[in-house]
């Protein structure tokens, strides 16, 4: 059997010229003639005698049309036909031409078919049954059991870890790929490789898992040749060196900013603590007038009342209610009288207004050791 089989070649192409019809015949006559040929071929297939006998055929022959059979690839294989012959004793061969459009078949070149020749009718029937059995098999992808599908050659690859974390005003992925991906595109165009950034934060989604690879950021290089991948690796390492230098500079700036911020926060906290416990000294000058009514003279020194009054160089702030009342009580005033309480309330209001005006004029400046000026008389 020839290694180059006729059924591996397509039949006459669509642009082949049809046989010339006799002068005067119309197109409808030609179509009718073609239909008659197709009907004749179909009838011959129905009878199992499409090709007739030749000098090498045995007593019994039968033809089976396989032009439109999906399993024709299996039926026309020499190994399949040899197996049928061993099992049935009948000779099996392939004849005809495969036509994508069987309406173009002719009597001289009929559609593809299996020709069976046997010395006994029983042997021929076994061969027919075997061919029909193979026609009915679901071949799936039409890949023979022992045939291995062609595997795609795996390209050489390199994986380079980035080893950096994004910080404020420094996106690592954006710095690596460059503006609009220009850095990666440059490496790819120079080396004819494929360069991709993968891992956590890369934005590269794995088709199988639908997620980013759960590993730190890295650059994946693949290419058809080892030399191309090696060249891309050199360029990528140079790119990462520049990115790491920029990252170190930005980290220093960010650290300095954080230190300055922390120092400012510490100073503000200390100032707030000082301001919360600070009160300006009370206004200087003579003591306020005594409450209404006649009060006794100041207590003499050496007495308990005189010693209490001597503790104060001037009256306490009205905000310190107990000390203020104790001071005037030492001078013999009735601190529980309505008149004294009314006068003390007016003094408290005066001091509060003074403190508010002082705080507004001082602003955020911390207090110094010098007391603030007294309010206007």
């Amino acid at each position: 059997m020839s290694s180059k089989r006729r059924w591996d070649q397509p039949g006459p192409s669509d642009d082949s010229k049809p046989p010339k019809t006799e002068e005067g015949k119309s197109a409808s006559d030609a179509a009718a003639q073609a239909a008659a040929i197709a009907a004749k071929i179909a009838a011959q297939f129905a009878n199992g005698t499409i090709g007739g006998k030749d000098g090498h055929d045995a007593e019994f022959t039968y033809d089976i049309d396989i032009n439109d059979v999906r399993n024709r690839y299996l039926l026309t294989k020499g190994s399949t036909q040899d197996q049928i012959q061993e099992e049935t004793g009948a000779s099996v061969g392939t004849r005809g031409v495969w036509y994508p459009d069987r309406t173009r078949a002719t009597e001289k070149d009929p559609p593809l078919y299996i020709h069976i020749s046997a010395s006994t009718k029983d042997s021929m029937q076994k061969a027919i049954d075997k061919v029909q059995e193979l026609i009915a098999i679901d071949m799936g992808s039409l890949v023979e059991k022992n045939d291995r599908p062609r595997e795609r050659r795996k390209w050489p690859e390199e994986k380079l870890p980035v080893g950096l974390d994004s910080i404020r005003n420094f996106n690592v992925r954006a710095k690596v790929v460059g503006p609009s991906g220009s850095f990666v595109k440059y490496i790819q165009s120079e080396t004819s490789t494929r360069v991709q950034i993968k891992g956590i934060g890369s934005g590269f989604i794995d088709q199988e898992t639908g997620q980013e690879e759960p590993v730190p950021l890295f650059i994946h290089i693949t290419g058809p040749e080892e030399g191309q991948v090696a060249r891309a690796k050199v360029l990528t390492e140079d790119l990462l060196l520049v990115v790491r230098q920029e990252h170190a500079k930005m980290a220093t700036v960010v650290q300095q900013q954080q230190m300055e911020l922390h120092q400012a926060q510490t100073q503000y906290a200390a100032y707030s603590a000082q301001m919360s416990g600070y009160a300006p000294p009370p206004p200087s000058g003579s003591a306020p007038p005594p409450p209404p009514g006649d009060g006794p003279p100041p207590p003499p020194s050496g007495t308990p009342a005189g010693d209490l009054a001597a503790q104060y160089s001037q009256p306490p702030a009205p905000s310190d209610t107990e000390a203020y009342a104790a001071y005037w009580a030492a001078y013999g005033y009735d601190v529980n009288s309505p008149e004294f309480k009314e006068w003390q309330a007016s003094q408290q209001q005066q001091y509060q207004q003074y403190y508010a005006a002082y705080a507004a004029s001082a602003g955020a400046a911390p207090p110094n050791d010098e007391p603030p000026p007294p309010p206007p008389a």
Side-chain angles (χ1 to χ4, degrees):
M1 184 177 294
S2 173
S3 60
K4 186 175 182 181
R5 301 171 294 190
R6 292 180 64 189
W7 53 91
D8 291 332
Q9 307 297 325
S13 59
D14 293 346
D15 57 354
S16 59
K17 296 182 180 180
K20 294 183 179 180
T21 58
E22 296 180 4
E23 188 176 357
K25 283 189 177 182
S26 64
S28 60
D29 293 336
Q33 183 179 4
I37 293 174
K40 183 177 180 181
I41 293 174
Q44 290 175 336
F45 273 128
N47 296 328
T49 56
I50 181 65
K53 290 186 178 182
D54 58 24
H56 301 285
D57 280 340
E59 182 179 356
F60 300 95
T61 60
Y62 194 86
D63 299 323
I64 302 176
D65 180 13
I66 62 168
N67 188 83
D68 301 327
V69 173
R70 187 168 181 265
N71 296 354
R72 60 180 176 273
Y73 167 76
L74 176 62
L75 294 168
T76 55
K77 291 190 66 171
S79 58
T80 302
Q81 295 176 359
D82 292 342
Q83 182 180 358
I84 295 175
Q85 184 172 358
E86 291 177 3
E87 294 179 1
T88 65
S91 175
V92 180
T94 307
R95 297 184 181 181
V97 178
W98 178 70
Y99 291 90
D101 182 6
R102 66 179 298 124
T103 60
R104 296 190 174 276
T106 63
E107 289 188 86
K108 181 180 179 182
D109 293 313
L112 192 66
Y113 67 95
I114 293 293
H115 180 70
I116 301 175
S117 173
S119 57
T120 64
K121 191 173 183 179
D122 180 64
S123 178
M124 182 187 70
Q125 187 60 46
K126 290 181 179 179
I128 294 172
D129 294 342
K130 187 62 177 178
V131 171
Q132 295 294 346
E133 178 183 341
L134 294 175
I135 291 175
I137 292 177
D138 183 8
M139 295 298 295
S141 62
L142 298 182
V143 177
E144 195 176 5
K145 193 172 183 179
N146 294 329
D147 291 344
R148 294 183 178 180
R150 182 180 178 182
E151 296 182 359
R152 182 180 176 181
R153 183 176 69 92
K154 188 175 181 180
W155 284 1
E157 64 177 357
E158 285 285 350
K159 294 182 179 180
L160 304 179
V162 176
L164 298 174
D165 294 327
S166 293
I167 56 179
R168 181 159 50 90
N169 298 330
F170 195 98
N171 185 294
V172 174
R173 180 190 179 280
K175 293 293 183 180
V176 171
V177 301
S180 302
S182 57
F183 297 162
V184 169
K185 291 177 182 177
Y186 170 77
I187 297 175
Q188 293 182 146
S189 63
E190 288 292 315
T191 61
S192 299
T193 57
R194 181 170 59 189
V195 181
Q196 296 172 308
I197 184 167
K198 300 180 180 181
I200 300 174
S202 65
F204 182 87
I205 304 300
D206 187 87
Q207 294 182 353
E208 295 182 357
T209 63
Q211 299 176 349
E212 295 178 340
E213 293 188 36
V215 296
L217 209 62
F218 69 95
I219 297 179
H220 187 218
I221 305 172
T222 56
E225 303 295 337
E226 290 281 357
Q228 295 171 327
V229 174
R231 172 61 178 161
K233 180 182 179 182
V234 172
L235 294 177
T236 304
E237 288 176 340
D238 183 66
L239 169 62
L240 289 177
L241 178 62
V242 175
V243 172
R244 289 177 181 134
Q245 291 174 349
E246 293 183 2
H247 184 275
K249 293 179 181 178
M250 181 57 66
T252 302
V253 172
V254 171
Q255 185 179 9
Q256 182 66 28
Q257 292 175 347
Q258 290 177 345
M259 291 177 61
E260 293 176 355
L261 177 61
H262 178 71
Q263 185 177 6
Q265 290 175 341
T266 303
Q267 292 176 351
Y268 180 77
Y271 171 70
S272 299
Q274 292 176 1
M275 290 297 295
S276 63
Y278 172 78
S284 61
S286 59
D294 295 331
S301 60
T303 63
D307 294 339
L308 179 61
Q311 295 178 6
Y312 302 95
S313 60
Q314 54 185 343
S319 58
D320 191 351
T321 307
E322 295 183 0
Y324 194 75
Y327 174 82
W328 291 109
Y331 283 94
Y333 290 98
D334 185 7
V335 295
N336 295 319
S337 65
E339 292 82 1
F340 182 89
K341 291 183 178 180
E342 181 180 356
W343 175 77
Q344 183 179 6
S346 66
Q347 294 297 306
Q348 289 177 344
Q349 184 177 4
Q350 177 185 356
Y351 271 65
Q352 289 174 357
Q353 293 174 353
Y354 168 69
Y355 293 151
Y358 174 79
S361 62
N368 50 30
D369 296 334
E370 295 294 330

